[in-house]
Amino acid sequence: MKTIKGPALFLAQFAGDEAPFNSWDSITKWAADCGYIGVQVPSWDGRLFDLEKAASSKDYCDELADKAKENGVVITELSTHLQGQLVATHPAYDIAFDGFTIPEMRGNPKARQQWAVDQVKKALTASKNLGLKAMASFSGSLAWPYVYPWPQRPAGLIETAFDELARRWKPILDHADECGVDICFEIHPGEDLFDGTTFEMFLERVGNHPRANMLYDPSHYVLQCLDYLDNIDIYADRIRMFHVKDAEFNPTGRQGVYSGYAPWVKRAGRFRSPGDGQVDFGAVFSKLTAIDFDGWAVVEWECCMKHPEDGAREGAEFVRNHLIRVTEKAFDDFAGAGTDEAANRRMLGLD
């Protein structure tokens, strides 16, 4: 077994236009001051990270990593959540997701999709330049508007959507393999990969590609009433990244999983700061340790109530208190009698 690395913080929810959140130097100092030793980087945020430079210049990547180290943290992974979303977008979401791309691509879904593929590939190359082994992303979605089977779905609709999703991602996965980097899809409602079944549908269509893996985030499983602990056992060999995010699900006589279009604070299912929700993180960390997960425990702070800076500081301590330093010996070694093969045979009555 290996000890999970951490605590680390996903910077996407904190990057902003005011100090200390508006530059790489200041935000990494702030993260270290909060108690983190690693940061996960949103590759789309030019205030912190220049993706074009990172994909083309090893020197730039070295400078970025050196500055982070000087400030007390390391880069754990890059994220392409927003670009990955645009690899596959149903037309119903064209306007809503146009803000994820650069201005000159807006209003042109075909050009936007090609841009997104290029961005994800560049992030994989940048990950290689940074010496990273995994990258986070969303799968995007073509079938999500049809997630509820009413009206009745035409035969073959979902299969066609997943065939196309796999066709779009296969060349990206091949590039990931060339870079030696896993693409870890965050299993997330709103994406076509939103649970284990959909992940398996995709995996089959990309030929069980070794670079198609999972970002495990139990909060998304709580909100769809999925067994998030059993999920670790089922997908132990595909879980390569881990977001520490909490959630709670409190159904009433008025609302359940769909939560009646209510705002986050009034939803039956809502995200909370680590420790404030219903996820059994003691069991999560134990299971991940038992399957030999050797990645990072990364706090993705999202909470409908708590101030983000309070959540960040509390999150670092929360993770540190849940990390399991693995043992190098059995707890009952004190009672070991010492033996050899001959003694074993005698104990079994074979000699």
Side-chain angles (χ1 to χ4, degrees):
M1 295 184 296
K2 300 181 180 71
T3 299
I4 298 171
K5 296 186 284 287
L9 180 68
F10 187 24
L11 298 177
Q13 286 81 4
F14 298 93
D17 293 328
E18 297 182 3
F21 308 110
N22 59 350
S23 75
W24 180 246
D25 183 34
S26 60
I27 201 169
T28 50
K29 286 178 180 176
W30 170 80
D33 183 64
C34 288
Y36 293 97
I37 62 170
V39 291
Q40 189 176 96
V41 182
S43 67
W44 61 86
D45 199 312
R47 292 167 295 195
L48 311 180
F49 183 80
D50 189 323
L51 179 56
E52 299 293 330
K53 282 187 180 179
S56 61
S57 172
K58 180 70 164 58
D59 288 342
Y60 170 77
C61 289
D62 290 344
E63 291 171 8
L64 204 71
D66 288 345
K67 176 56 69 174
K69 185 177 180 180
E70 177 185 320
N71 291 340
V73 295
V74 300
I75 300 171
T76 63
E77 303 100 357
L78 300 183
S79 157
T80 57
H81 283 83
L82 301 193
Q83 302 100 313
Q85 182 75 62
L86 300 180
V87 169
T89 303
H90 188 280
Y93 296 100
D94 273 340
I95 295 174
F97 286 145
D98 240 5
F100 288 2
T101 189
I102 55 178
E104 51 266 40
M105 296 295 171
R106 293 171 188 166
N108 189 339
K110 184 177 180 180
R112 184 186 64 196
Q113 195 272 337
Q114 293 171 347
W115 172 86
V117 170
D118 180 65
Q119 287 278 294
V120 176
K121 287 184 174 180
K122 284 177 176 173
L124 289 163
T125 301
S127 296
K128 177 183 177 181
N129 289 341
L130 286 162
L132 306 177
K133 299 300 183 184
M135 183 194 76
S137 200
F138 279 151
S139 69
S141 58
L142 300 172
W144 180 254
Y146 310 104
V147 66
Y148 197 80
W150 181 258
Q152 186 182 67
R153 290 189 293 253
L157 177 71
I158 301 305
E159 290 77 8
T160 299
F162 273 79
D163 288 346
E164 176 63 18
L165 188 72
R167 186 191 70 79
R168 296 187 188 190
W169 275 102
K170 178 62 164 58
I172 305 174
L173 289 163
D174 289 343
H175 182 67
D177 202 32
E178 293 168 4
C179 293
V181 178
D182 292 324
I183 299 179
C184 298
F185 294 102
E186 182 166 357
I187 308 303
H188 187 292
E191 310 306 313
D192 279 344
L193 308 191
F194 63 85
D195 61 9
T197 298
T198 52
F199 177 76
E200 290 174 17
M201 290 168 64
F202 176 76
L203 195 61
E204 179 184 6
R205 285 166 169 80
V206 294
N208 292 311
H209 203 291
R211 297 299 177 180
N213 291 292
M214 280 185 169
L215 188 164
Y216 175 79
D217 182 337
S219 69
H220 300 302
Y221 300 155
V222 168
L223 299 191
Q224 54 182 309
C225 302
L226 187 153
D227 189 331
Y228 59 87
L229 296 177
D230 190 40
N231 182 271
I232 297 175
D233 294 331
I234 296 170
Y235 300 108
D237 61 339
R238 291 284 176 175
I239 294 173
R240 305 288 171 84
M241 289 177 65
F242 171 32
H243 272 175
V244 180
K245 187 166 74 175
D246 212 342
E248 60 184 354
F249 181 62
N250 300 304
T252 69
R254 288 190 171 89
Q255 58 167 275
V257 170
Y258 305 113
S259 292
Y261 296 109
W264 276 109
V265 74
K266 295 182 178 180
R267 292 176 68 87
R270 56 193 186 179
F271 298 123
R272 300 299 308 276
S273 273
D276 293 347
Q278 297 169 343
V279 175
D280 183 351
F281 278 105
V284 167
F285 274 83
S286 293
K287 277 190 172 287
L288 287 174
T289 300
I291 67 169
D292 215 19
F293 174 77
D294 63 350
W296 286 84
V298 180
V299 172
E300 184 189 20
W301 181 87
E302 291 181 358
C303 183
C304 58
M305 296 185 189
K306 187 169 288 183
H307 192 283
E309 293 182 50
D310 293 340
R313 292 186 181 277
E314 293 173 9
E317 182 179 4
F318 182 85
V319 170
R320 189 171 287 106
N321 290 339
H322 281 80
L323 291 173
I324 299 170
R325 184 160 67 102
V326 298
T327 182
E328 297 176 353
K329 61 180 182 179
F331 65 87
D332 56 356
D333 277 354
F334 74 94
T339 188
D340 55 33
E341 181 61 19
N344 289 342
R345 292 185 65 82
R346 290 196 301 274
M347 291 178 69
L348 292 170
L350 301 177
D351 291 329

